[in-house]
């Protein structure tokens, strides 16, 4: 089952204005949403905040109520081997399969570092990584 | 006083009016007979050329609007065939379509003559080196002043806009005595010279500046004189009437409109009624001898008044005061006319945007800076920053093409820009002139 390894990321479009990021964090905290992983990509006056949280639907509705533009994005999470070259190995597997990595970010999970990947074909990426012996996380494994 | 054409410029008022009447009569007959547009307009207004019995009867003629030029894009209003045209100029319109102006050789000659008189009246002539720092190209400023300056026998230094340090070096090395540019660019040159350690007053021979295409003020005139030792003269014109065409004389007391070339009127912008000299209103221009694109009672949209008392310089032609503003929301950005409606039109053509926008105009240093905030359509949002950067670039590119001027663009969150009920106020202009 590949589907169980697809994780719902919330993506928030935000202008680079003072207080915007704080407002997102505060809103999530108030509604008891835990943030597992978090990344920001920015260009001049705007940016995209990406987060993995324990309750994506709650997070989305609370942020939308505050006027934020929120989307769900499918990402996959790879357990990184605690040895040099782990990231390179994943990139190699996907590259060989012709799968583009749109972006990636990492966080330190319970047991090992976790690499979050946004790829052009998530299903395909999952089978390639598994076939190469890689270990993927389910939504329930996050934290 | 030295005049380019003393016989015309100093002729008694009554004689000038006779010439104007004769030109007007000829123009109206010609257009009634040969222009479908003017024929239909005059029929609609129930006026026949025979009804024009005095100069004041010009008021019977219907107005012409910027929208007429747009609706007849590109050349349907032209009264000369293409093989009689020697040039085109193009300016941005109110929406999508630009305004195209065609010129016959005679049109160029009249424009040039008008400028020759104006430049001479500011004390510029043979022996002067005129740096033309207006944009050359589709914009009328560069080429217009270029030909005017050559006509009076001055030496033209055609620097166009930009590369300011080089402009200042050339100004020194080639001993420019006069410059033609927008007021903000002149101030920018002054500031850049300061940074280079060059004093315009001490290290150059620059003594006069013909500046226009942008609003400016007496305060700026004083500042230019005090900081640069340069006497600044106002020049006026829009592409529809040919280009920058009329200027102040050495008295610096209003812009002479050569009566044998054009008739200025002032009207109440709301009622269209004619206003007497000394009253402030909308400028309406008739250009008397234009061949390719005739202009009768054209509502340019600028606000000013006609100065009735004779100019101390002795020229008898009417003068208008410095333009004080606009009847519409047209902006002038670095000398280029920008209509918010054209911004809107361009933005509505981009599917990734919601259509809501705001325009913010500032002076960065001495140059205009226009920022357009656009709002993302929710469905165009992406978690990929490159998608967003591409959208932003596409908006910048689309606006640059539509407006002929580079603007800054910022993407805003969906729903974040103000909504308006009734008349939208999408422009925040923080400039002080
Ligand atoms: Zn005068």
């Amino acid at each position: 089952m590949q589907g169980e390894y697809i994780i719902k990321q919330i993506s928030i479009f935000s202008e680079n204005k003072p207080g915007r990021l704080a407002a997102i964090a505060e809103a999530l905290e108030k509604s008891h949403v835990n943030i597992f992983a978090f990344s920001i990509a920015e260009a001049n006056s705007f940016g995209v905040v990406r987060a993995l949280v324990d309750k994506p639907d709650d997070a989305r509705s609370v942020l939308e109520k505050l006027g934020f533009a929120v989307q769900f994005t499918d990402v996959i999470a790879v357990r990184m081997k605690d040895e040099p070259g782990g990231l390179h190995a994943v990139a190699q597997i996907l590259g060989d399969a012709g799968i583009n990595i749109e972006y990636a970010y990492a966080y330190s999970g319970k047991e090992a570092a976790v690499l979050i990947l946004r790829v052009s074909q998530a299903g395909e990426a999952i089978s390639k990584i598994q076939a190469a012996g890689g270990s993927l996380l389910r939504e329930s494994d996050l934290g | 006083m030295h005049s380019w054409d003393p016989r015309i410029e100093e002729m008694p008022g009554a004689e000038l009016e006779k010439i104007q009447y004769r030109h007007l009569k000829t123009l109206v007959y010609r257009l009634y007979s040969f222009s479908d547009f003017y024929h239909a307009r005059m029929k609609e207004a129930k006026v026949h050329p025979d009804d024009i019995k005095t100069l004041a009867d010009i008021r019977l003629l219907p107005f012409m609007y910027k929208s007429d030029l747009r609706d007849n894009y590109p050349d349907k209003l032209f009264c000369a065939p293409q093989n009689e045209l020697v040039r085109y100029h193009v300016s941005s319109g109110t929406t999508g379509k630009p305004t195209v102006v065609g010129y016959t050789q005679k049109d160029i000659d009249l424009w040039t003559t008008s400028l020759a008189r104006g430049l001479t009246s500011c004390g510029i002539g043979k022996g002067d080196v005129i740096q033309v720092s207006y944009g050359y190209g589709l914009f009328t400023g560069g080429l217009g002043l270029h030909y005017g300056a050559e006509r009076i026998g001055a030496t033209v230094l055609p620097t166009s806009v930009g590369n300011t340090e080089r402009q200042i070096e050339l100004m020194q090395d080639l001993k420019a005595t006069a410059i033609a540019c927008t007021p903000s660019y002149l101030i920018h040159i002054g500031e850049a010279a300061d940074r280079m350690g060059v004093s315009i007053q001490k290290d150059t021979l620059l003594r006069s500046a013909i500046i226009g295409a942008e609003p400016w003020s007496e305060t700026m005139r004083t500042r230019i004189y005090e900081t640069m030792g340069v006497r600044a003269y106002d020049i006026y014109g829009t592409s529809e009437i040919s280009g920058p065409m009329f200027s102040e004389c050495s008295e610096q007391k209003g812009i002479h409109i050569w009566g044998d070339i054009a008739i200025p009127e002032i009207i109440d912008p709301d009622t269209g009624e004619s206003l007497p000299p000394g009253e402030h209103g909308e400028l309406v221009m008739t250009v008397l001898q234009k061949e390719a694109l005739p202009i009768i009672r054209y509502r340019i949209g600028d606000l000013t008044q006609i100065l009735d008392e004779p100019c101390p310089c002795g020229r008898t032609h009417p003068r208008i005061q410095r333009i004080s503003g606009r009847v519409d929301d047209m902006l002038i950005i670095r000398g280029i006319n920008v209509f918010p409606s054209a911004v809107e039109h361009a933005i509505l053509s981009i599917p990734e945007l919601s259509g809501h926008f705001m325009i913010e105009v500032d002076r960065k240093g001495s140059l205009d800076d226009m920022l357009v905030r656009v709002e993302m359509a929710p469905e165009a949002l992406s978690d990929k920053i490159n998608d967003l950067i591409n959208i932003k670039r596409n908006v910048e590119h689309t606006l640059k093409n539509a407006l002929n001027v580079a603007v800054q663009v910022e993407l805003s969150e969906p729903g974040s820009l103000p909504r308006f009920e009734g008349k939208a106020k999408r422009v925040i202009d923080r400039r002080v002139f």
Side-chain angles (χ1 to χ4, degrees), chain B residues 115 131-137 139-146 157-162 167 179-183 185 209-214 216 233-236 244 334-335:
Chain B
L115 282 171
Q131 186 160 345
V132 178
S133 303
Y134 274 121
Y136 277 68
F139 175 60
T140 51
L143 285 168
L145 265 300
H146 182 104
L157 177 57
T159 45
S160 195
V161 187
Q167 298 233 6
I179 187 167
C181 60
T182 61
Y185 195 61
I210 312 297
I211 60 179
E214 245 176 33
W216 62 296
Y233 303 93
D234 200 4
I235 184 165
Y236 179 72
R334 299 194 288 276

Side-chain angles (χ1 to χ4, degrees), chain B residues 51-193:
Chain B
D51 300 331
I52 309 299
K53 297 192 183 83
T54 67
L55 191 55
D57 289 336
I58 191 171
R59 291 172 196 178
L60 302 174
L61 296 167
F63 292 122
M64 182 183 183
Y65 299 87
K66 179 112 184 154
S67 57
D68 292 325
L69 292 163
R70 181 193 63 205
D71 297 343
N72 291 283
Y73 176 86
D75 57 0
K76 290 195 209 77
L77 295 186
F78 288 13
C79 288
Q82 178 272 320
N83 64 7
E84 290 294 322
L85 303 183
V86 298
R87 198 193 297 171
Y88 291 120
H89 279 290
V90 181
S91 65
S92 60
T94 47
T95 57
K97 297 278 180 227
T99 300
V100 177
V101 182
Y103 303 75
T104 63
Q105 187 57 55
K106 192 184 159 207
D107 291 337
I108 296 280
D109 286 345
L110 267 173
W111 180 15
T112 306
T113 298
S114 183
L115 282 171
R117 291 183 199 166
L119 291 170
T120 307
S121 79
C122 303
I124 300 171
K126 192 172 168 62
D128 276 297
V129 176
I130 305 185
Q131 186 160 345
V132 178
S133 303
Y134 274 121
Y136 277 68
L138 293 174
F139 175 60
T140 51
L143 285 168
L145 265 300
H146 182 104
Y147 280 73
E150 280 190 357
R151 176 69 61 88
I152 58 171
T155 313
V156 179
L157 177 57
T159 45
S160 195
V161 187
N163 205 343
T164 307
E165 291 197 1
R166 184 142 172 271
Q167 298 233 6
I168 294 164
E169 282 167 24
L170 290 171
M171 179 186 288
Q172 289 181 279
D173 297 347
L174 297 172
K175 302 184 172 52
T177 54
I179 187 167
C181 60
T182 61
S184 56
Y185 195 61
L186 181 61
I187 289 181
H188 181 70
I189 286 179
E191 289 167 354

Side-chain angles (χ1 to χ4, degrees), chain A residues 32-61:
Chain A
H32 307 290
V33 173
N34 284 324
I35 302 172
F36 300 133
F38 192 83
S39 103
I40 303 170
E42 56 184 339
N44 307 322
S45 59
F46 56 89
V48 183
V49 175
R50 304 149 179 159
L52 295 189
V53 298
D54 59 349
K55 288 172 272 184
D57 295 303
D58 289 6
R60 180 173 181 157
S61 72

